[in-house]
Amino acid sequence: MRRLGWTAIPLGLTFLFLYVPVLTLVVMSFNQSSLPFRWTGFSTQWYGELLQNEEVLTGLVNTLIVAVGSTVLSTILGTLLAIGVHRHVRNRFLDALSLGPAIAPDIIMAIGLLTFYSTLGLTLGLHSVLLSHVVFGTAFVAAVVKARLNHVDPSLEEASRDLGATAVGTFFRITIPGLLPGIVAGALLAFTLSLDEFVIAFFTNGPATPTLPIVIYSMVRFGVTPELNALAAILLVITFTAIIAAQRLTRLGEDEA
């Protein structure tokens, strides 16, 4: 704080602006009252009622299906993309293009994917949302794994090949273990982004299979309820846990390098 000097004041105000609404939401999820912003006592009843809400549970199951499936595919494709671009592409434009879906506005991605699916005559559902999340998830995984590749010693792979290992054996015994912290961090990031993604899912999903963010959107149009506060608090814990784990794994990989 001493080193920050006078900048500690605007920094503190910024953090208050960012996190006071979030903390308020978490506190009010334990409110006994049915009114969302009137405290009458501590209670966990809304978490229990949330578990009995079939609409929310259905949306949660659909979201987990999409998040897990897209994370697996994004991790595989993103890792291969990162290795290929890092080792075989010397064009900066192509390098930047591989990360395009990660920085493109969600609304542009959503409209483009919807147009693409309509052109192919593909019916919308969880499969279309899953494929859509793979598109941007792959870019995020590739970005994280590429950062990890800068800390991997290529001489280890050369030594493995010189000792008689095959290319496939070297890939699974040397390359993948060396990239593992970055791969896991990228997978956690892709899972977190898929878990609470709304815009792309809203455009590319069918009405019969709503994901959890779509369910929340349909509920919040009629006002914020204590159940929504409880649901948001749970998602907040999951998201923060995944992000912190991804950050720690990334740092661990850099320290080991």
Side-chain angles (χ1 to χ4, degrees):
M1 295 295 292
R2 291 179 179 177
R3 285 185 294 180
L4 287 174
W6 66 270
T7 59
I9 297 176
L11 181 62
L13 292 175
T14 301
F15 275 107
L16 286 175
F17 176 76
L18 291 175
Y19 290 105
V20 166
V22 175
L23 292 176
T24 302
L25 180 148
V26 174
V27 172
M28 297 308 293
S29 69
F30 296 100
N31 185 15
Q32 187 178 15
S33 173
S34 59
L35 299 175
F37 300 110
R38 181 182 177 184
W39 183 265
T40 60
F42 181 85
S43 175
T44 58
Q45 64 174 335
W46 305 113
Y47 288 88
E49 293 192 14
L50 183 65
L51 296 177
Q52 298 175 1
N53 190 318
E54 293 184 2
E55 186 179 9
V56 170
L57 293 178
T58 300
L60 177 61
V61 171
N62 291 338
T63 296
L64 289 177
I65 291 173
V66 171
V68 173
S70 63
T71 298
V72 172
L73 293 175
S74 297
T75 302
I76 296 172
L77 295 176
T79 300
L80 296 176
L81 176 62
I83 295 173
V85 170
H86 184 268
R87 296 182 177 177
H88 304 292
V89 175
R90 295 293 178 266
N91 189 305
R92 291 187 177 181
F93 174 76
L94 293 178
D95 192 359
L97 190 64
S98 66
L99 305 179
I103 59 177
D106 284 352
I107 187 66
I108 301 300
M109 289 287 297
I111 295 174
L113 288 166
L114 178 59
T115 303
F116 178 69
Y117 293 150
S118 299
T119 302
L120 295 180
L122 182 69
T123 56
L124 301 181
L126 289 183
H127 57 284
S128 57
V129 181
L130 190 152
L131 293 175
S132 301
H133 285 193
V134 169
V135 173
F136 68 80
T138 297
F140 279 102
V141 173
V144 176
V145 175
K146 279 180 64 179
R148 172 61 183 165
L149 275 165
N150 294 326
H151 300 279
V152 174
D153 188 358
S155 63
L156 295 176
E157 296 184 9
E158 296 174 2
S160 175
R161 296 299 301 274
D162 290 340
L163 292 172
T166 63
V168 175
T170 299
F171 179 77
F172 285 103
R173 293 181 180 180
I174 304 297
T175 307
I176 293 299
L179 297 177
L180 193 58
I183 293 173
V184 176
L188 289 173
L189 182 60
F191 178 81
T192 302
L193 293 171
S194 177
L195 192 67
D196 58 8
E197 199 285 320
F198 170 75
V199 176
I200 294 176
F202 185 79
F203 275 78
T204 60
N205 198 1
T209 55
T211 58
L212 189 57
I214 295 176
V215 172
I216 294 174
Y217 173 73
S218 64
M219 294 172 64
V220 79
R221 287 185 300 172
F222 302 100
V224 179
T225 65
E227 283 183 319
L228 279 176
N229 288 337
L231 179 59
I234 293 173
L235 291 176
L236 185 67
V237 171
I238 295 173
T239 302
F240 267 74
T241 301
I243 291 175
I244 292 173
Q247 185 181 34
R248 291 293 178 89
L249 286 169
T250 303
R251 286 185 177 180
L252 177 63
E254 292 177 354
D255 293 341
E256 289 178 353

